[in-house]
Amino acid sequence: MTLKEKNLQQAVYGDVPESFQHRVQYALRHTQEEERPVKRFTLRTALITLLLVAIVGAAVAAVASITADRFGEFYGEKYKDALLQGDIDTTLRTRQVGDVIYALDDVIVTGITLDNEEDNRGEDPMSISDEMCSRIYATGTMRAAEGTNVVLIPEDYLTTDPWNFDPYYGGHDNIPADAVSVKDKAAQTDATILCTRATANGLVGTGGELVNADIGYSGILQEDGTMVFTMEIDLHEPIPRQDEYTLSVYIANHQVTPEGEHLMDTRVSEDWVFTIAPSKAEAN
């Protein structure tokens, strides 16, 4: 990286974790590459993250949410606290597509609103409404189905990357020198390498249409060879809070050769549509 590139990176991202810088870059690349007609985060995501530095923390209920924990790692503890003030659906949902099981942990509906810096005028750039839904967050896992012989890999990863350590989301310092690569792990049992993903299509409106929104997602390798996925739905216009919401999630996987060629003609996919009924978390 040149000095000019480093200065540009600092100007865009500021003092945010390297893992999030990768995440924004990843989303930007897929704005160009993704063939499905869904909107992706742009540099607006970076601006929003920079604004979070000035957020004033609020007292929240002491509740457990894997989604709040995961996005707290992305955006910081103050954002985690804000998410825990939202409505949470903890219903366990699973779906199998091909040789991969997709399992949803929990979903958070929140009224978080972030102002543009130029319109902020020195005030707190974040507000939270209990009456509106402006953003929806979710996390889950992707794992090989029982009895299958496959090795999973996220998008934007190389087959020479470690099969069970994440080299991008801040985990590169913890990777052992003798870590087994994806392609070597697959070679041990002549396993098939599958590139797998889960991302929100969006919130489904009352007429069956997708509500206008920006979509963010990620896939992160775990030490047991499974993958964590995260999803964000950032509505262009907030809507009144509802008892139920219908979400559409795109889940898919396809084969990758040991040399890293993606065999798109092997892809299997599904639009997973389900209804959530989140409720306000209660303090422990």
Side-chain angles (χ1 to χ4, degrees), residues 55-284:
I55 291 174
V56 177
V60 298
V63 297
S65 166
I66 296 176
T67 296
D69 289 342
R70 180 64 63 178
F71 282 97
E73 295 174 3
F74 284 156
Y75 299 142
E77 284 296 313
K78 292 178 181 178
Y79 206 81
K80 172 184 174 179
D81 291 345
L83 287 174
L84 289 174
Q85 296 182 57
D87 296 340
I88 304 177
D89 185 309
T90 59
T91 304
L92 178 64
R93 296 176 174 85
T94 61
R95 196 78 166 183
Q96 181 170 347
V97 173
D99 289 340
V100 181
I101 301 292
Y102 300 80
L104 198 66
D105 293 324
D106 60 284
V107 184
I108 297 178
V109 172
T110 176
I112 292 175
T113 301
L114 298 169
D115 301 324
N116 291 327
E117 186 175 24
E118 60 186 30
D119 298 330
N120 189 35
R121 300 179 182 178
E123 299 178 0
D124 185 354
M126 184 178 77
S127 59
I128 306 174
S129 170
D130 289 332
E131 299 178 354
M132 305 297 289
C133 163
S134 58
R135 299 164 187 268
I136 300 174
Y137 296 83
T139 57
T141 58
M142 297 178 279
R143 67 179 188 275
E146 186 176 355
T148 61
N149 185 25
V150 299
V151 173
L152 305 184
I153 186 173
E155 292 179 308
D156 211 33
Y157 282 50
L158 305 175
T159 56
T160 52
D161 285 333
W163 79 273
N164 62 339
F165 289 93
D166 188 289
Y168 300 112
Y169 285 79
H172 55 276
D173 292 335
N174 300 321
I175 299 175
D178 59 350
V180 177
S181 69
V182 170
K183 67 177 184 178
D184 288 343
K185 178 64 177 179
Q188 290 176 3
T189 59
D190 196 26
T192 299
I193 301 173
L194 290 180
C195 175
T196 183
R197 65 177 288 190
T199 181
N201 289 318
L203 173 66
V204 180
T206 55
E209 76 289 352
L210 291 176
V211 179
N212 290 333
D214 291 331
I215 303 297
Y217 69 100
S218 68
I220 309 172
L221 277 170
Q222 304 298 292
E223 291 189 25
D224 61 357
T226 63
M227 285 171 49
V228 163
F229 66 81
T230 72
M231 301 183 295
E232 308 173 53
I233 303 174
D234 180 4
L235 301 182
H236 290 178
E237 295 293 338
I239 62 173
R241 200 68 68 89
Q242 304 169 186
D243 293 332
E244 294 184 340
Y245 307 80
T246 299
L247 302 182
S248 176
V249 175
Y250 178 65
I251 49 180
N253 57 82
H254 63 265
Q255 295 179 22
V256 181
T257 69
E259 295 72 34
E261 179 184 2
H262 288 249
L263 306 177
M264 301 309 296
D265 59 345
T266 67
R267 180 174 57 185
V268 290
S269 64
E270 180 180 319
D271 288 327
W272 183 15
V273 180
F274 53 86
T275 299
I276 61 171
S279 59
K280 181 68 67 177
E282 297 181 359
N284 290 339

Side-chain angles (χ1 to χ4, degrees), residues 30-36 38 40 155 197 217 250:
H30 280 73
T31 301
Q32 303 296 326
E33 298 170 2
E34 176 55 50
E35 77 284 359
R36 292 177 60 81
V38 292
R40 302 295 168 206
E155 292 179 308
R197 65 177 288 190
Y217 69 100
Y250 178 65

